[in-house]
Amino acid sequence: MVSRALWKGQLRLSLVSIPVEVFSATKTGARFAFRQIHEPSGKPVHYDKVVDGIGPVDTDEIVKGYEYESGKYVLLEPEEIDAVKLETKKTLELVQFVDASEISPIYYDKPYYVVPSDDLAEDAYRVVRDALRKSGKVGLGQLTLRGREYIAAIKPCGDGLLLETLHYADELRKADPMFHGLSGKTSDDDLLEVATALINKKTAPFDATTFKDNYSTALKDLVQRKLKGKKAKIEVDDEEDTGKRGDNVVDLMSALKKSLEGGGEKASGTKAAPKKAPPKKAATPKKKSA
């Protein structure tokens, strides 16, 4: 089953615009996860949104605030945030191309698949993919995703395109303070030769399937062993648990040539909580017979 697109818009290369959709390339559900349980009652622990001195509050009473001074906030309504006009909300324009080796791995954040929105977009999509592969370049641009604007790197990936979000320079810590205490001495030649020979001996094509998550496997085995017992198992009423959860490129070649000649550039709802059944009336005690 194909997941829901996280972003829909235009991938633009100068005068060429390609309707595309962006999907997450990773699965969070594949990781082993625990749920916190209140041991005395055996019930799952829930987290409420709480205000000091008031207690739990409703979600519809919460707005976003920016702390401009310590303890002082400017409040922003969702409509005001949505009204901020950014072209990158609907358009990812490739404004620069670099060699992949020029981007340090520390900048890479998260991968996404980019696919054409329809059959009519495939020709232009394929040209961009093959041109990137032939040139050995990575395309750079920006897009707004999940409430923030990212640097985006576009590169070929199999039959399609991969988008990787990049960190901004000011998001990264400087390495110098971390490595400051390391000596500037060079390695011993004999030791270096042995280490290099060992690296060459263990060099092979990358295959992610050769690596297994041994920790998750061990935890799953532990769970299976515990399931055979009786003391570690609890059962929660599902009802009780969930009730609180609350126009395509007409002439691609013409557009590409004009671009090369410098012809031009360029909703969510909250599910209502189920109604609770009215409390049962206490039974009226029978009168004792005289």
Side-chain angles (χ1 to χ4, degrees):
M1 182 178 178
V2 179
S3 57
R4 183 175 59 87
L6 301 177
W7 187 88
K8 295 182 180 182
Q10 303 286 323
L11 175 63
R12 182 187 295 171
L13 174 56
S14 195
L15 294 179
V16 179
S17 292
I18 311 165
V20 296
E21 297 180 355
V22 173
F23 298 87
S24 176
T26 58
K27 299 187 297 181
T28 54
R31 295 180 180 176
F32 191 90
F34 289 108
R35 179 74 184 271
Q36 291 190 325
I37 303 295
H38 179 238
E39 188 174 17
S41 66
K43 294 182 179 181
V45 176
H46 300 292
Y47 293 91
D48 295 323
K49 295 183 183 293
V50 178
V51 176
D52 292 340
I54 297 177
V57 295
D58 293 332
T59 303
D60 57 9
E61 296 178 331
I62 300 174
V63 296
K64 291 185 176 180
Y66 175 77
E67 188 173 16
Y68 61 95
E69 287 181 16
S70 181
K72 295 182 180 180
Y73 300 84
V74 58
L75 304 183
L76 300 172
E77 297 290 342
E79 297 79 12
E80 294 176 304
I81 297 173
D82 291 340
V84 175
K85 300 298 182 184
L86 283 175
E87 187 178 0
T88 52
K89 284 186 175 181
K90 291 295 181 182
T91 303
L92 168 53
E93 181 167 9
L94 301 180
V95 297
Q96 183 185 356
F97 297 88
V98 300
D99 291 328
S101 59
E102 289 186 42
I103 305 176
S104 171
I106 197 172
Y107 282 95
Y108 286 104
D109 178 29
K110 190 176 179 183
Y112 299 86
Y113 294 128
V114 180
V115 301
S117 296
D118 51 51
D119 293 343
L120 295 175
E122 283 193 21
D123 284 343
Y125 175 91
R126 194 179 300 113
V127 170
V128 171
R129 179 201 65 195
D130 294 347
L132 287 172
R133 179 172 286 132
K134 183 176 181 179
S135 63
K137 304 292 184 182
V138 173
L140 296 178
Q142 289 179 278
L143 88 162
T144 300
L145 183 66
R146 288 175 167 170
R148 62 166 293 188
E149 190 174 50
Y150 292 90
I151 305 172
I154 297 288
K155 61 182 68 174
C157 177
D159 292 332
L161 289 172
L162 184 73
L163 181 156
E164 291 187 86
T165 54
L166 304 179
H167 292 290
Y168 288 96
D170 59 4
E171 293 178 330
L172 299 176
R173 291 179 176 175
K174 300 255 183 215
D176 292 346
M178 307 295 177
F179 303 145
H180 180 70
L182 295 177
S183 169
K185 294 180 181 179
T186 57
S187 301
D188 178 83
D189 289 342
D190 291 337
L191 293 175
L192 183 59
E193 184 178 350
V194 173
T196 303
L198 181 59
I199 290 173
N200 290 334
K201 182 179 179 181
K202 290 181 174 289
T203 297
F206 174 68
D207 181 4
T209 61
T210 61
F211 296 89
K212 307 297 179 183
D213 188 345
N214 299 307
Y215 185 58
S216 289
T217 300
L219 287 175
K220 289 175 183 177
D221 290 342
L222 173 60
V223 169
Q224 291 301 317
R225 292 198 303 271
K226 297 280 284 188
L227 282 173
K228 294 178 181 178
K230 294 182 179 179
K231 292 183 180 180
K233 291 187 290 186
I234 63 164
E235 188 171 343
V236 178
D237 186 348
D238 288 341
E239 220 173 281
E240 179 184 343
D241 185 28
T242 58
K244 297 179 182 178
R245 307 286 185 230
D247 167 24
N248 182 56
V249 180
V250 177
D251 189 342
L252 177 58
M253 182 59 71
S254 175
L256 288 170
K257 286 183 176 179
K258 283 184 180 179
S259 299
L260 193 59
E261 294 166 2
E265 300 290 338
K266 313 211 179 179
S268 68
T270 304
K271 199 170 184 179
K275 295 181 179 179
K276 293 183 179 179
K280 294 181 180 179
K281 293 183 179 179
T284 305
K286 294 181 181 179
K287 293 183 179 180
K288 293 182 179 179
S289 55

